[in-house]
Amino acid sequence: EGHPDAAASALEAVKPKWTAMYLKNTKGMARKPYWAFWNFTMAKVRLAQGKTDEAIALEEEMANPPNPWNDFESRRWVYEGRAALAELVARKGDLERADKLLAENHKWNPNWAPTRTAELAVAQMHRERVQAASK
């Protein structure tokens, strides 16, 4: 809501507490902390702060979880991460990588709705590139 620095501070402050709770709840499960929602939210904050590269790094972590993603919730965040990452890298001009990320989502789940927004954005960037090249 227009206060990205305060949001970043609040997110940074809560992460150690979440990590401790996660480690306690997964003790003996050999699972590494995976902060998909935290990364997703912090990536939005970093974008609002103009830190696109940091946002991309957060989405990279989200799209590549450290644990097997065999439950719906884990898959959901991987799909969301790939879609968000695709849109971010496309904005930086890497349309080929964006296409590959979206194709990965389609391979696993062709009907995943959150991917649609990124697909539309990437398609628009492709059209703009073609228009610019034709001028």
Side-chain angles (χ1 to χ4, degrees), residues 56-85:
I56 288 172
L58 288 161
E59 296 293 359
E60 288 273 7
E61 287 180 27
M62 191 172 133
N64 298 293
N67 307 302
W69 44 292
N70 54 4
D71 61 30
F72 176 76
E73 190 65 16
S74 296
R75 284 193 304 269
R76 181 174 83 87
W77 284 114
V78 170
Y79 295 140
E80 296 256 359
R82 280 190 194 139
L85 182 58

Side-chain angles (χ1 to χ4, degrees), residues 15-90:
K15 193 170 185 182
K17 295 174 190 174
W18 284 359
T19 301
M21 189 171 54
Y22 182 92
L23 293 173
K24 179 182 174 188
N25 291 338
T26 60
K27 189 173 185 172
M29 295 174 68
R31 293 181 63 84
K32 296 178 182 170
Y34 175 55
W35 301 120
F37 183 74
W38 189 92
N39 282 33
F40 179 79
T41 306
M42 184 59 96
K44 300 296 182 211
V45 169
R46 293 300 187 220
L47 282 174
Q49 292 175 315
K51 299 176 179 179
T52 305
D53 290 336
E54 287 183 35
I56 288 172
L58 288 161
E59 296 293 359
E60 288 273 7
E61 287 180 27
M62 191 172 133
N64 298 293
N67 307 302
W69 44 292
N70 54 4
D71 61 30
F72 176 76
E73 190 65 16
S74 296
R75 284 193 304 269
R76 181 174 83 87
W77 284 114
V78 170
Y79 295 140
E80 296 256 359
R82 280 190 194 139
L85 182 58
E87 191 169 346
L88 288 176
V89 298

Side-chain angles (χ1 to χ4, degrees), residues 90-91 93-96 98-99 102 116-135:
R91 285 182 187 172
D94 194 348
L95 293 175
E96 183 178 320
D99 290 338
L102 293 173
R116 188 68 182 139
T117 303
E119 289 171 349
L120 293 171
V122 171
Q124 177 63 33
M125 288 177 230
H126 275 292
R127 285 191 295 277
E128 290 169 2
R129 181 176 279 180
V130 168
Q131 288 174 348
S134 67
K135 289 184 179 182

